[in-house]
Amino acid sequence: MIRPLRIGLVGSGFMGRSHALAWRIAPLVFELPVRPEIVVLADRTEELAAQAARQLAIPRATGDWRDVVRDPEVDLVDITTPNALHKEIALAAIEAGKAVYCEKPLAPSAADARELTEAAERMGLSTFVGFNYLRNPMTRLARELVASGEVGEVWNFRGIHAEDYMSDPGVPWSWRLDPAGGAGAVADLGSHIIAMARFIVGPIDELVADVDTVVTERAITRGGAPVRPVEVDDEARALVRFANGATGTIEASWVATGRKMYLAFELTGSKGSILLNMERMNELRLFVKGQKAGREGYVEIPAGPDHVDYAAFLPAPAHQLGFNEIKAIEVKDIAMAMGGGPAFRPDFREAYEIQRVVDAILLSARERRWVSIDEID
Amino acid sequence: MIRPLRIGLVGSGFMGRSHALAWRIAPLVFELPVRPEIVVLADRTEELAAQAARQLAIPRATGDWRDVVRDPEVDLVDITTPNALHKEIALAAIEAGKAVYCEKPLAPSAADARELTEAAERMGLSTFVGFNYLRNPMTRLARELVASGEVGEVWNFRGIHAEDYMSDPGVPWSWRLDPAGGAGAVADLGSHIIAMARFIVGPIDELVADVDTVVTERAITRGGAPVRPVEVDDEARALVRFANGATGTIEASWVATGRKMYLAFELTGSKGSILLNMERMNELRLFVKGQKAGREGYVEIPAGPDHVDYAAFLPAPAHQLGFNEIKAIEVKDIAMAMGGGPAFRPDFREAYEIQRVVDAILLSARERRWVSIDEID
Amino acid sequence: MIRPLRIGLVGSGFMGRSHALAWRIAPLVFELPVRPEIVVLADRTEELAAQAARQLAIPRATGDWRDVVRDPEVDLVDITTPNALHKEIALAAIEAGKAVYCEKPLAPSAADARELTEAAERMGLSTFVGFNYLRNPMTRLARELVASGEVGEVWNFRGIHAEDYMSDPGVPWSWRLDPAGGAGAVADLGSHIIAMARFIVGPIDELVADVDTVVTERAITRGGAPVRPVEVDDEARALVRFANGATGTIEASWVATGRKMYLAFELTGSKGSILLNMERMNELRLFVKGQKAGREGYVEIPAGPDHVDYAAFLPAPAHQLGFNEIKAIEVKDIAMAMGGGPAFRPDFREAYEIQRVVDAILLSARERRWVSIDEID
Amino acid sequence: MIRPLRIGLVGSGFMGRSHALAWRIAPLVFELPVRPEIVVLADRTEELAAQAARQLAIPRATGDWRDVVRDPEVDLVDITTPNALHKEIALAAIEAGKAVYCEKPLAPSAADARELTEAAERMGLSTFVGFNYLRNPMTRLARELVASGEVGEVWNFRGIHAEDYMSDPGVPWSWRLDPAGGAGAVADLGSHIIAMARFIVGPIDELVADVDTVVTERAITRGGAPVRPVEVDDEARALVRFANGATGTIEASWVATGRKMYLAFELTGSKGSILLNMERMNELRLFVKGQKAGREGYVEIPAGPDHVDYAAFLPAPAHQLGFNEIKAIEVKDIAMAMGGGPAFRPDFREAYEIQRVVDAILLSARERRWVSIDEID
């Protein structure tokens, strides 16, 4: 009998539920070296936690995340709380010697992310950060097309993550707008496209950026008067230079009216190009030079069993994976790592590297100058 | 504590695994009146069954489906075997007084489907047939747009289900080609688009059809010589007239080179039109007459929490549901019905009605004439 | 100096203007063996004709098409009138020994089309029919892909021409609805998709069809009461069998709410497939079997200088040709034929063959049975 | 009889031919206050000019553009030469008191563009610059949607013009790479998207930019060794701030492997959003907030007679205009202005403003800092 991987889940919102689902799905479709079990759920109040635990079939519930962290039955602390709480919980988990799985963004600043990274590394603990879109088989295909040289040398990466959940000025103030969380759209969404850029192209060396806030005040509650100033960015954008010589742009917005899941990039290489857009996450468009005259164009490749991880869910192409299944791939990779398999990326160190780019964008925007990532500790 | 719904699963192929997943996902995301549990799995051999049961975390396994049917612990027999076996298993389950959930197509002929339907109705048993695409929130939206009158009177329905898994002449003979299963593409795929047409537009009164077989011989095993004649259709198509006066076409093909999941329709109404294609199953395109001049066009609506059942999985629009989650919606609706909620459709009777259309297509093609559905018992 | 090709244009509506434009554009972009000149324009009244001639820079105008037909200065009579007038004018032109260029559909019935064809052939006159979409370089590419065997044996053709200019019940009665014109949508639009099917796949042998009228009465003038019964089809559809063994469907509708230029087909072959849709007429989608695993999909090919006739207009791909330029290609091909170049198709005989299919659809719908094209004289 | 507008055309390449066509088409479809006539064509050699003139039906030809400029029969000098020659010819034309129509980019630097602008303004001459994509009815619709407030306050503009005609390192050195022409992709393509940004959003105040060259050496002739260093940019990108508070990005590339006509933007407003891409230039996608729940999405609007200038070419929507017809709209607007109608934009002054942005991008990239447009004289 394989040994259990006992998980303590913190948070039961959008991401908490998605993690809970993923942990159930993964062992049914993948052969895992450990048997994941969510043993306890923490939420803001005991009542909330109990209710969610009942629905999610988690045996125990608590209103205090500290109970999870210090629980001797827990091997892995899985953090899906609002961003501003990540650090405190993760640090406590590390101190308690637990492996930690944290939703992105890891921490409100690179300094905080580094503190977490170093703490975990000192303790020799495994860490995992939830940049789920990197697990999409089509994202993996993009990486493979670059790594194998099929699209040649990367010349340009034009990336964006834009949604519109803050486009309505009537959306009230919330934890996403808390500057203690570090930043706005660039942290919440920008971190995804930065993670993508690093995953597919490689490290960014330097950048110049601009940010702005278009809804400058919001109400405390929906329908109230807009009285609380918004101190974080609604939109951010940067010109970037990668270590390997590629150049590009990175953009983030949570006020992109009409956009719901526009995490997308256009990658240009010397031999071919790739278009990927999570609005249609089961497709990748690939152009390769040198086709027969008059037959040249982008190939629209549907996700299928020829792509990594897809066949675990479906034996037929174009039948489509959903968001939650991409999350299940993520927890599969975590379970593999926890069971002695290949190391998981992004870990805390990679999340720290991502956060350095976020911080560099904010610094560049503040000081209106090019910033080297090395300037960010 | 809510009472359990004890399921005996027969088959662990594509559909068996998808059902197993769905039964696990549904109670985590929906509030159900019963607690589904797969208690036993049957497959062709005990070994196969044991292996699949281990992976799918099903406590018991057997190499004989009869064990499942007569198991007093089983409330619902869930049949996902090759089509030709549906009837025998379902009849046995009915005789044993079990509720039955059967993958489509229910039976090789309308006569068989009627026999099953009447047997179940005589016993007062609940029955369920797995036409999962009807559960897609976008399919439900299409139905709602018609039912509410938003697109007016339905004038035309142009539907197709085309894939290419038999397009390669090197694909060997398999159970799908067994005439004992009743038919070819028209049964396997055509039944889906017929179900869709009935769900959205209503009953079909009469039709004229044509079928053909383009790969006329296949090998017994891959790589072998093509020696076994193919006696079922590779392609089928029909002109149809609906009871409500709408007209249209229905097509099916499993040799549609390049198509992987092309279950699609174009519905024209007096006030608007709908385009839906499961290749991009998280989108529906809607045209409504009477927009401002110069602003008129199809709206591309992304699936989101405003659509039925979506919010159980994801709180944000366009984040995308997958095939297996649509299946989870189906089993949710079955659990609801088993727990005293609204009746489930398509039940065996509806599957019989769908099969009558399949049979009418075959009869019309054979006799080269218009056929009334009433001619099919 | 190359000799002139003196054209007498009849009609100055949508098509008349498009022809006038095309005759001017063609010699500027193509090397022609003759020098086209529109020398006279006829319209319903002298006043209308004079006004249009002024705008279109045509030297002479007349209110009587007979003046054009008997004009010794005219080499080619170009007919763009309402369909019901085609026959009378074309016959008169033939009798006068003129070459004739007629907009589609050539005549209200196959019998009429045959009469015209035989009259012209007896006189040894060149004839040309304006099925312009056949001149789109992407249509030509589709034909080449079939003819060269790149997509293998043709298994299926699923074609449609649907627009919505009659979808509004408030659109009053017009010449398009005159049964003397022969038919409705199947003649006006269906003829285009039939021409396309024949051009790309080949002759149709037999078919079974259905037609219907959804707006059964219309007003005489916009805003009036709907008092005049509609005696022609609003929609038509047929199952077809081609001489080469391919099968398929052909559909036509002028009440396809929301559709503006939906002349489209999906062609399935044993080695590949083609998708073409005039709503995006500068693109063709091609699937070819046997690509590398995981790289398979439809290629979206943009029209460019590698495709026939494109480079005459633009040296760069994807810069896009318009409807009127496709018409210019058509008149170029007519000028080539008139100057001793390759024969032009569709000529009257081909238009007669197309009309036989239209008539077969009407006969089949009326008699509710399969009809061989040979039944239509 | 309306008076003629006598045009002297300089150049008969891609643009020269497109202009020649446009001048013929415009008077056939629009009611013009003047009668355009191309009276003379100049090209590099008399032979080239004579050959092109014959094809384009231009009565006179010359191998020296000075003949055109000083020709008393010429009212308007139309310049379509390589970029580096624009200035000399335009200045001579201005000195000769001619109206001038020049292809974009007007001049290799803002200083040159200003010199031309001031010279023309001193002489009181009309000037016109050929940024043809601004004439696309869908571009005009975008502008109208912004100007009318339908999409609210503009928050963001994300624009790009990317093609791949220099992506192949085997493409030899050409006039486009001559630094005397001022710049590379940013001048050749970037000027189009800058013109678009200014047309739709308004003036840009400041920016920070980056440029790079990915093919650093090219052969003198195709097939030769790559010996000539490339001194201009292959790619350029900038973060921009508009005077009205909007922000955004502007990108240009002529090495965008796979892209053929990707002049596109995403405009986000407080009430709606617009997507426009010249790869499908007959469509615009519009999102407007506040639609009924569950019916929200981008509307795909096909170009049609409800949009400005379309109806002159075609009476039916979605039948599609081509590149050359957009050019015909441009010359129509020039003819209108020459005949006393509304002033034409972009004139030389607007082209100077566009060039200031180009120069600001180059300066910013060189000095690696934010640049105010005011710094560029």
mmCIF file of all heavy atoms in Angstrom, chain B residues 158 167 206 210 237 241 247 249 251 257 262 266 269 273 289 368, chain C residues 158 167 206 210 237 241 247 249 251 257 262 266 269 273 289 368:
data_model
loop_
_atom_site.group_PDB
_atom_site.id
_atom_site.type_symbol
_atom_site.label_atom_id
_atom_site.label_comp_id
_atom_site.label_asym_id
_atom_site.label_seq_id
_atom_site.Cartn_x
_atom_site.Cartn_y
_atom_site.Cartn_z
ATOM 1 N N ARG B 158 -29.373 22.865 -38.620
ATOM 2 C CA ARG B 158 -28.379 22.186 -39.465
ATOM 3 C C ARG B 158 -27.339 21.596 -38.532
ATOM 4 O O ARG B 158 -26.465 22.304 -38.036
ATOM 5 C CB ARG B 158 -27.739 23.209 -40.404
ATOM 6 C CG ARG B 158 -26.739 22.629 -41.374
ATOM 7 C CD ARG B 158 -26.181 23.720 -42.288
ATOM 8 N NE ARG B 158 -25.405 23.155 -43.356
ATOM 9 C CZ ARG B 158 -24.134 23.500 -43.627
ATOM 10 N NH1 ARG B 158 -23.526 24.401 -42.900
ATOM 11 N NH2 ARG B 158 -23.486 22.926 -44.619
ATOM 12 N N SER B 167 -11.237 7.274 -40.030
ATOM 13 C CA SER B 167 -10.830 7.781 -41.347
ATOM 14 C C SER B 167 -9.628 7.026 -41.901
ATOM 15 O O SER B 167 -9.501 6.847 -43.119
ATOM 16 C CB SER B 167 -10.495 9.273 -41.237
ATOM 17 O OG SER B 167 -9.837 9.739 -42.384
ATOM 18 N N GLU B 206 -40.545 13.301 -39.799
ATOM 19 C CA GLU B 206 -40.222 12.470 -40.962
ATOM 20 C C GLU B 206 -38.881 12.895 -41.523
ATOM 21 O O GLU B 206 -38.388 13.991 -41.241
ATOM 22 C CB GLU B 206 -41.315 12.594 -42.026
ATOM 23 C CG GLU B 206 -41.606 14.022 -42.405
ATOM 24 C CD GLU B 206 -42.622 14.125 -43.548
ATOM 25 O OE1 GLU B 206 -42.970 13.095 -44.151
ATOM 26 O OE2 GLU B 206 -43.038 15.262 -43.851
ATOM 27 N N ASP B 210 -29.556 9.170 -46.457
ATOM 28 C CA ASP B 210 -28.608 8.424 -47.279
ATOM 29 C C ASP B 210 -27.427 8.053 -46.383
ATOM 30 O O ASP B 210 -27.074 8.804 -45.483
ATOM 31 C CB ASP B 210 -28.131 9.313 -48.440
ATOM 32 C CG ASP B 210 -27.479 8.516 -49.560
ATOM 33 O OD1 ASP B 210 -27.658 7.292 -49.609
ATOM 34 O OD2 ASP B 210 -26.796 9.133 -50.390
ATOM 35 N N ARG B 237 -26.571 10.888 -43.568
ATOM 36 C CA ARG B 237 -27.135 12.242 -43.584
ATOM 37 C C ARG B 237 -28.621 12.164 -43.898
ATOM 38 O O ARG B 237 -29.052 11.247 -44.600
ATOM 39 C CB ARG B 237 -26.396 13.139 -44.569
ATOM 40 C CG ARG B 237 -26.432 12.674 -46.009
ATOM 41 C CD ARG B 237 -25.281 13.241 -46.797
ATOM 42 N NE ARG B 237 -24.050 12.600 -46.402
ATOM 43 C CZ ARG B 237 -23.592 11.457 -46.950
ATOM 44 N NH1 ARG B 237 -24.268 10.834 -47.895
ATOM 45 N NH2 ARG B 237 -22.468 10.929 -46.542
ATOM 46 N N ARG B 241 -37.855 16.859 -41.029
ATOM 47 C CA ARG B 241 -38.935 17.798 -40.713
ATOM 48 C C ARG B 241 -39.355 17.568 -39.269
ATOM 49 O O ARG B 241 -39.666 16.445 -38.889
ATOM 50 C CB ARG B 241 -40.117 17.593 -41.647
ATOM 51 C CG ARG B 241 -39.804 17.996 -43.080
ATOM 52 C CD ARG B 241 -41.054 17.987 -43.926
ATOM 53 N NE ARG B 241 -40.788 18.556 -45.236
ATOM 54 C CZ ARG B 241 -41.748 18.935 -46.083
ATOM 55 N NH1 ARG B 241 -43.029 18.791 -45.739
ATOM 56 N NH2 ARG B 241 -41.441 19.447 -47.257
ATOM 57 N N THR B 247 -37.430 22.731 -40.209
ATOM 58 C CA THR B 247 -36.819 21.757 -41.113
ATOM 59 C C THR B 247 -35.320 21.747 -40.852
ATOM 60 O O THR B 247 -34.813 22.573 -40.112
ATOM 61 C CB THR B 247 -37.049 22.163 -42.577
ATOM 62 O OG1 THR B 247 -36.530 23.487 -42.742
ATOM 63 C CG2 THR B 247 -38.509 22.135 -42.933
ATOM 64 N N THR B 249 -31.193 19.557 -41.483
ATOM 65 C CA THR B 249 -30.362 18.413 -41.858
ATOM 66 C C THR B 249 -29.632 17.903 -40.623
ATOM 67 O O THR B 249 -29.321 18.649 -39.704
ATOM 68 C CB THR B 249 -29.297 18.781 -42.924
ATOM 69 O OG1 THR B 249 -28.525 19.885 -42.448
ATOM 70 C CG2 THR B 249 -29.931 19.155 -44.234
ATOM 71 N N GLU B 251 -26.366 15.193 -39.860
ATOM 72 C CA GLU B 251 -25.299 14.425 -40.485
ATOM 73 C C GLU B 251 -24.410 13.770 -39.437
ATOM 74 O O GLU B 251 -24.252 14.292 -38.331
ATOM 75 C CB GLU B 251 -24.449 15.313 -41.402
ATOM 76 C CG GLU B 251 -25.300 16.014 -42.462
ATOM 77 C CD GLU B 251 -24.511 16.828 -43.466
ATOM 78 O OE1 GLU B 251 -23.545 16.310 -44.037
ATOM 79 O OE2 GLU B 251 -24.885 17.994 -43.676
ATOM 80 N N THR B 257 -12.082 13.207 -41.915
ATOM 81 C CA THR B 257 -10.650 13.498 -41.794
ATOM 82 C C THR B 257 -10.390 14.899 -41.215
ATOM 83 O O THR B 257 -10.840 15.896 -41.771
ATOM 84 C CB THR B 257 -10.014 13.384 -43.190
ATOM 85 O OG1 THR B 257 -10.447 12.149 -43.767
ATOM 86 C CG2 THR B 257 -8.504 13.428 -43.120
ATOM 87 N N TYR B 262 -16.411 17.375 -33.685
ATOM 88 C CA TYR B 262 -17.247 18.323 -34.410
ATOM 89 C C TYR B 262 -18.713 17.943 -34.267
ATOM 90 O O TYR B 262 -19.337 17.433 -35.187
ATOM 91 C CB TYR B 262 -16.797 18.335 -35.877
ATOM 92 C CG TYR B 262 -17.465 19.356 -36.766
ATOM 93 C CD1 TYR B 262 -17.734 20.640 -36.321
ATOM 94 C CD2 TYR B 262 -17.796 19.048 -38.084
ATOM 95 C CE1 TYR B 262 -18.330 21.580 -37.158
ATOM 96 C CE2 TYR B 262 -18.378 19.971 -38.930
ATOM 97 C CZ TYR B 262 -18.650 21.234 -38.450
ATOM 98 O OH TYR B 262 -19.232 22.164 -39.291
ATOM 99 N N GLU B 266 -26.151 24.804 -36.439
ATOM 100 C CA GLU B 266 -26.542 26.171 -36.759
ATOM 101 C C GLU B 266 -28.058 26.183 -36.715
ATOM 102 O O GLU B 266 -28.694 25.478 -37.490
ATOM 103 C CB GLU B 266 -26.055 26.558 -38.160
ATOM 104 C CG GLU B 266 -24.563 26.337 -38.350
ATOM 105 C CD GLU B 266 -24.123 26.335 -39.814
ATOM 106 O OE1 GLU B 266 -24.851 26.860 -40.679
ATOM 107 O OE2 GLU B 266 -23.032 25.797 -40.083
ATOM 108 N N GLY B 269 -33.625 31.031 -36.432
ATOM 109 C CA GLY B 269 -34.969 31.354 -35.984
ATOM 110 C C GLY B 269 -35.471 32.625 -36.643
ATOM 111 O O GLY B 269 -34.711 33.338 -37.309
ATOM 112 N N SER B 273 -30.437 33.680 -34.309
ATOM 113 C CA SER B 273 -29.780 32.442 -34.698
ATOM 114 C C SER B 273 -28.741 32.050 -33.665
ATOM 115 O O SER B 273 -28.235 32.895 -32.931
ATOM 116 C CB SER B 273 -29.094 32.616 -36.056
ATOM 117 O OG SER B 273 -30.056 32.684 -37.072
ATOM 118 N N LYS B 289 -31.875 39.706 -34.038
ATOM 119 C CA LYS B 289 -32.301 40.786 -34.932
ATOM 120 C C LYS B 289 -32.586 42.072 -34.170
ATOM 121 O O LYS B 289 -32.916 42.037 -32.989
ATOM 122 C CB LYS B 289 -33.614 40.390 -35.627
ATOM 123 C CG LYS B 289 -33.463 39.530 -36.854
ATOM 124 C CD LYS B 289 -34.849 39.300 -37.469
ATOM 125 C CE LYS B 289 -34.776 38.359 -38.666
ATOM 126 N NZ LYS B 289 -36.122 38.017 -39.163
ATOM 127 N N ARG B 368 -34.673 4.165 -49.950
ATOM 128 C CA ARG B 368 -34.561 5.374 -50.767
ATOM 129 C C ARG B 368 -35.890 6.129 -50.860
ATOM 130 O O ARG B 368 -36.363 6.456 -51.952
ATOM 131 C CB ARG B 368 -34.030 5.031 -52.178
ATOM 132 C CG ARG B 368 -32.575 4.574 -52.137
ATOM 133 C CD ARG B 368 -32.097 4.028 -53.452
ATOM 134 N NE ARG B 368 -32.199 4.967 -54.558
ATOM 135 C CZ ARG B 368 -31.320 5.947 -54.811
ATOM 136 N NH1 ARG B 368 -30.279 6.120 -54.022
ATOM 137 N NH2 ARG B 368 -31.492 6.746 -55.839
ATOM 138 N N ARG C 158 -19.998 19.032 -47.972
ATOM 139 C CA ARG C 158 -21.117 19.592 -47.217
ATOM 140 C C ARG C 158 -21.153 21.084 -47.503
ATOM 141 O O ARG C 158 -20.384 21.862 -46.933
ATOM 142 C CB ARG C 158 -20.893 19.344 -45.725
ATOM 143 C CG ARG C 158 -22.029 19.802 -44.841
ATOM 144 C CD ARG C 158 -21.738 19.498 -43.375
ATOM 145 N NE ARG C 158 -22.880 19.736 -42.539
ATOM 146 C CZ ARG C 158 -22.872 20.510 -41.454
ATOM 147 N NH1 ARG C 158 -21.758 21.095 -41.059
ATOM 148 N NH2 ARG C 158 -23.968 20.684 -40.750
ATOM 149 N N SER C 167 -35.015 37.405 -44.564
ATOM 150 C CA SER C 167 -35.402 36.919 -43.237
ATOM 151 C C SER C 167 -36.439 37.815 -42.571
ATOM 152 O O SER C 167 -37.297 37.350 -41.824
ATOM 153 C CB SER C 167 -34.143 36.813 -42.345
ATOM 154 O OG SER C 167 -34.495 36.625 -41.004
ATOM 155 N N GLU C 206 -27.472 12.148 -58.706
ATOM 156 C CA GLU C 206 -28.848 12.043 -58.210
ATOM 157 C C GLU C 206 -28.949 12.725 -56.864
ATOM 158 O O GLU C 206 -27.942 12.948 -56.186
ATOM 159 C CB GLU C 206 -29.272 10.577 -58.103
ATOM 160 C CG GLU C 206 -28.317 9.732 -57.308
ATOM 161 C CD GLU C 206 -28.803 8.294 -57.133
ATOM 162 O OE1 GLU C 206 -29.965 7.996 -57.475
ATOM 163 O OE2 GLU C 206 -28.020 7.485 -56.607
ATOM 164 N N ASP C 210 -35.630 18.763 -50.244
ATOM 165 C CA ASP C 210 -36.793 19.319 -49.554
ATOM 166 C C ASP C 210 -36.676 20.843 -49.633
ATOM 167 O O ASP C 210 -35.572 21.382 -49.595
ATOM 168 C CB ASP C 210 -36.795 18.859 -48.082
ATOM 169 C CG ASP C 210 -38.141 19.044 -47.403
ATOM 170 O OD1 ASP C 210 -39.147 19.238 -48.108
ATOM 171 O OD2 ASP C 210 -38.181 18.993 -46.163
ATOM 172 N N ARG C 237 -32.802 22.172 -49.412
ATOM 173 C CA ARG C 237 -31.664 21.324 -49.037
ATOM 174 C C ARG C 237 -31.786 19.982 -49.746
ATOM 175 O O ARG C 237 -32.898 19.536 -50.039
ATOM 176 C CB ARG C 237 -31.574 21.157 -47.531
ATOM 177 C CG ARG C 237 -32.769 20.497 -46.879
ATOM 178 C CD ARG C 237 -32.882 20.870 -45.425
ATOM 179 N NE ARG C 237 -33.280 22.255 -45.282
ATOM 180 C CZ ARG C 237 -34.560 22.685 -45.255
ATOM 181 N NH1 ARG C 237 -35.566 21.830 -45.374
ATOM 182 N NH2 ARG C 237 -34.849 23.958 -45.125
ATOM 183 N N ARG C 241 -25.538 12.675 -54.536
ATOM 184 C CA ARG C 241 -24.509 11.696 -54.873
ATOM 185 C C ARG C 241 -23.806 12.171 -56.138
ATOM 186 O O ARG C 241 -24.457 12.449 -57.145
ATOM 187 C CB ARG C 241 -25.120 10.317 -55.091
ATOM 188 C CG ARG C 241 -25.661 9.717 -53.802
ATOM 189 C CD ARG C 241 -26.016 8.270 -54.006
ATOM 190 N NE ARG C 241 -26.365 7.635 -52.736
ATOM 191 C CZ ARG C 241 -26.489 6.321 -52.583
ATOM 192 N NH1 ARG C 241 -26.292 5.507 -53.631
ATOM 193 N NH2 ARG C 241 -26.795 5.802 -51.416
ATOM 194 N N THR C 247 -20.351 11.757 -51.747
ATOM 195 C CA THR C 247 -21.709 12.067 -51.325
ATOM 196 C C THR C 247 -21.698 13.414 -50.619
ATOM 197 O O THR C 247 -20.637 13.965 -50.362
ATOM 198 C CB THR C 247 -22.216 11.017 -50.329
ATOM 199 O OG1 THR C 247 -21.285 10.966 -49.244
ATOM 200 C CG2 THR C 247 -22.318 9.645 -50.973
ATOM 201 N N THR C 249 -24.190 17.035 -48.949
ATOM 202 C CA THR C 249 -25.406 17.842 -48.819
ATOM 203 C C THR C 249 -25.165 19.205 -49.447
ATOM 204 O O THR C 249 -24.053 19.720 -49.460
ATOM 205 C CB THR C 249 -25.824 18.049 -47.347
ATOM 206 O OG1 THR C 249 -24.728 18.596 -46.626
ATOM 207 C CG2 THR C 249 -26.252 16.755 -46.693
ATOM 208 N N GLU C 251 -27.179 23.009 -49.412
ATOM 209 C CA GLU C 251 -28.266 23.767 -48.802
ATOM 210 C C GLU C 251 -28.263 25.218 -49.277
ATOM 211 O O GLU C 251 -27.203 25.767 -49.595
ATOM 212 C CB GLU C 251 -28.149 23.733 -47.270
ATOM 213 C CG GLU C 251 -28.143 22.296 -46.735
ATOM 214 C CD GLU C 251 -28.127 22.200 -45.221
ATOM 215 O OE1 GLU C 251 -28.959 22.833 -44.569
ATOM 216 O OE2 GLU C 251 -27.272 21.469 -44.696
ATOM 217 N N THR C 257 -31.219 34.056 -40.810
ATOM 218 C CA THR C 257 -31.041 35.196 -39.912
ATOM 219 C C THR C 257 -29.597 35.310 -39.394
ATOM 220 O O THR C 257 -29.087 34.379 -38.781
ATOM 221 C CB THR C 257 -32.000 35.023 -38.711
ATOM 222 O OG1 THR C 257 -33.297 34.729 -39.234
ATOM 223 C CG2 THR C 257 -32.057 36.262 -37.843
ATOM 224 N N TYR C 262 -22.672 33.617 -46.347
ATOM 225 C CA TYR C 262 -22.258 32.294 -45.884
ATOM 226 C C TYR C 262 -22.350 31.299 -47.037
ATOM 227 O O TYR C 262 -23.237 30.456 -47.068
ATOM 228 C CB TYR C 262 -23.141 31.896 -44.707
ATOM 229 C CG TYR C 262 -22.774 30.610 -44.013
ATOM 230 C CD1 TYR C 262 -21.450 30.250 -43.784
ATOM 231 C CD2 TYR C 262 -23.767 29.760 -43.534
ATOM 232 C CE1 TYR C 262 -21.134 29.068 -43.117
ATOM 233 C CE2 TYR C 262 -23.468 28.585 -42.863
ATOM 234 C CZ TYR C 262 -22.144 28.244 -42.663
ATOM 235 O OH TYR C 262 -21.835 27.076 -41.994
ATOM 236 N N GLU C 266 -17.438 22.218 -46.473
ATOM 237 C CA GLU C 266 -16.488 21.355 -45.790
ATOM 238 C C GLU C 266 -16.320 20.140 -46.702
ATOM 239 O O GLU C 266 -17.288 19.431 -46.947
ATOM 240 C CB GLU C 266 -17.040 20.905 -44.437
ATOM 241 C CG GLU C 266 -17.451 22.071 -43.545
ATOM 242 C CD GLU C 266 -18.350 21.684 -42.379
ATOM 243 O OE1 GLU C 266 -18.377 20.501 -41.995
ATOM 244 O OE2 GLU C 266 -19.039 22.569 -41.851
ATOM 245 N N GLY C 269 -11.753 14.402 -47.629
ATOM 246 C CA GLY C 269 -11.122 13.452 -48.529
ATOM 247 C C GLY C 269 -10.426 12.358 -47.745
ATOM 248 O O GLY C 269 -10.293 12.427 -46.524
ATOM 249 N N SER C 273 -8.654 17.315 -45.729
ATOM 250 C CA SER C 273 -9.946 17.997 -45.739
ATOM 251 C C SER C 273 -9.740 19.476 -45.991
ATOM 252 O O SER C 273 -8.678 20.024 -45.710
ATOM 253 C CB SER C 273 -10.655 17.803 -44.399
ATOM 254 O OG SER C 273 -11.113 16.476 -44.281
ATOM 255 N N LYS C 289 -3.513 14.567 -43.610
ATOM 256 C CA LYS C 289 -3.122 13.451 -42.746
ATOM 257 C C LYS C 289 -1.614 13.248 -42.729
ATOM 258 O O LYS C 289 -0.925 13.619 -43.689
ATOM 259 C CB LYS C 289 -3.735 12.153 -43.274
ATOM 260 C CG LYS C 289 -5.146 11.886 -42.842
ATOM 261 C CD LYS C 289 -5.586 10.517 -43.389
ATOM 262 C CE LYS C 289 -7.049 10.219 -43.085
ATOM 263 N NZ LYS C 289 -7.495 8.986 -43.750
ATOM 264 N N ARG C 368 -41.264 14.269 -53.626
ATOM 265 C CA ARG C 368 -40.768 13.597 -52.416
ATOM 266 C C ARG C 368 -40.093 12.255 -52.751
ATOM 267 O O ARG C 368 -40.418 11.220 -52.171
ATOM 268 C CB ARG C 368 -41.903 13.396 -51.399
ATOM 269 C CG ARG C 368 -42.391 14.724 -50.811
ATOM 270 C CD ARG C 368 -43.647 14.587 -49.970
ATOM 271 N NE ARG C 368 -43.498 13.680 -48.836
ATOM 272 C CZ ARG C 368 -42.915 13.995 -47.688
ATOM 273 N NH1 ARG C 368 -42.397 15.188 -47.511
ATOM 274 N NH2 ARG C 368 -42.837 13.109 -46.718
#
